[in-house]
Amino acid sequence: MKEKKRLLFHVCCGPCSIALFEELKEQFDEVVAYFYNPNIHPEEEYERRKKEVELLCEEAGVSFVEGPYDSENWFALTKDLKEEREGGSRCGLCFDMRVKRAVEYAREHGFDTVATSITSGRNKRADVINPIGLTHAMEQGLVFLEADWKKGGRQEKGIAMGKEKGVYRQDYCGCVYSRIAREKQKNNDS
Ligand code: SF4
């Protein structure tokens, strides 16, 4: 009997994942969304993004699993990197923490493949994120689905689908530092 292909899909937010569920469902026998994003601040924002993903999963017929909101661990990990710009070393640690946990969860629950929606983000470099996924997956004996999800028309498709469904689109990456940077930018622009 053919083995069932099971994908654990780490999802960071609605806008980054909305266009990908159908495509992944065609490739895998089972797709489960894993929401593990302790970087998101404040908690109300975390809840808002989580609810949006839950709703999209329901519509797409994809199971949803929430990881721990262990934001204290995220703050401890990045405490010396508050001043880093977006895309710098703080982000590297942030990707690593989330993808590593997703891979561990996948191994603990019998998945064979792991992916992350993070590379959908306009400023999120696939050449930084994919090696992190590949390393952790290799260590746990799993496959990491390498991808640059913003390519191949998916970003445009995601924007269009998001608009059509009225999906909440945040204006900062997620952490308190990216929120402060965004507020500063808005003040400078006004
Ligand atoms: S800017 Fe985004 S990716 Fe970078 S540390 Fe903050 S939440 Fe993580």
Side-chain angles (χ1 to χ4, degrees):
M1 200 171 75
K2 191 174 145 256
E3 218 177 303
K4 215 175 156 205
K5 278 171 68 192
R6 300 181 71 218
L7 172 73
L8 187 78
F9 183 33
H10 170 256
V11 170
C12 58
C13 64
C16 282
S17 56
I18 186 170
L20 307 177
F21 292 123
E22 285 311 315
E23 177 177 344
L24 292 171
K25 276 175 71 185
E26 279 168 20
Q27 282 183 54
F28 291 87
D29 298 300
E30 186 186 354
V31 177
V32 173
Y34 185 62
F35 192 84
Y36 175 60
N37 301 293
N39 52 317
I40 302 174
H41 184 88
E43 195 168 350
E44 300 79 61
E45 175 74 14
Y46 170 84
E47 288 296 332
R48 187 171 187 186
R49 296 189 196 186
K50 184 187 83 175
K51 287 258 152 48
E52 200 74 309
V53 172
E54 260 183 305
L55 202 69
L56 292 173
C57 284
E58 210 177 294
E59 284 175 15
V62 164
S63 305
F64 173 91
V65 174
E66 180 183 8
Y69 183 55
D70 54 345
S71 56
E72 66 287 356
N73 290 335
W74 187 92
F75 275 108
L77 185 73
T78 59
K79 67 180 183 346
D80 298 326
L81 299 166
K82 295 175 187 168
E83 304 300 331
E84 277 285 301
R85 61 175 175 81
E86 190 175 337
S89 55
R90 188 185 67 235
C91 298
L93 289 181
C94 179
F95 302 145
D96 190 80
M97 180 182 182
R98 291 184 283 159
V99 172
K100 181 171 185 256
R101 179 62 205 134
V103 171
E104 285 168 354
Y105 182 92
R107 182 189 46 78
E108 289 159 9
H109 293 82
F111 290 85
D112 36 73
T113 309
V114 187
T116 178
S117 66
I118 302 176
T119 63
S120 288
R122 206 181 39 217
N123 302 319
K124 300 295 180 286
R125 287 175 47 185
D127 64 332
V128 171
I129 295 156
N130 282 329
I132 292 172
L134 287 166
T135 301
H136 288 303
M138 198 175 67
E139 281 170 6
Q140 301 284 339
L142 301 180
V143 174
F144 180 75
L145 187 63
E146 262 188 278
D148 191 348
W149 297 118
K150 66 181 102 24
K151 295 198 170 155
R154 297 183 186 94
Q155 193 170 53
E156 295 75 10
K157 186 178 169 191
I159 291 170
M161 286 176 79
K163 272 190 187 153
E164 191 189 316
K165 289 178 186 283
V167 171
Y168 166 59
R169 178 172 281 272
Q170 61 275 0
D171 69 354
Y172 67 102
C173 184
C175 65
V176 65
Y177 311 119
S178 62
R179 184 171 155 128
I180 292 167
R182 180 69 189 124
E183 288 307 316
K184 273 189 191 156
Q185 196 193 338
K186 277 193 208 163
N187 288 337
N188 289 342
D189 292 347
S190 63

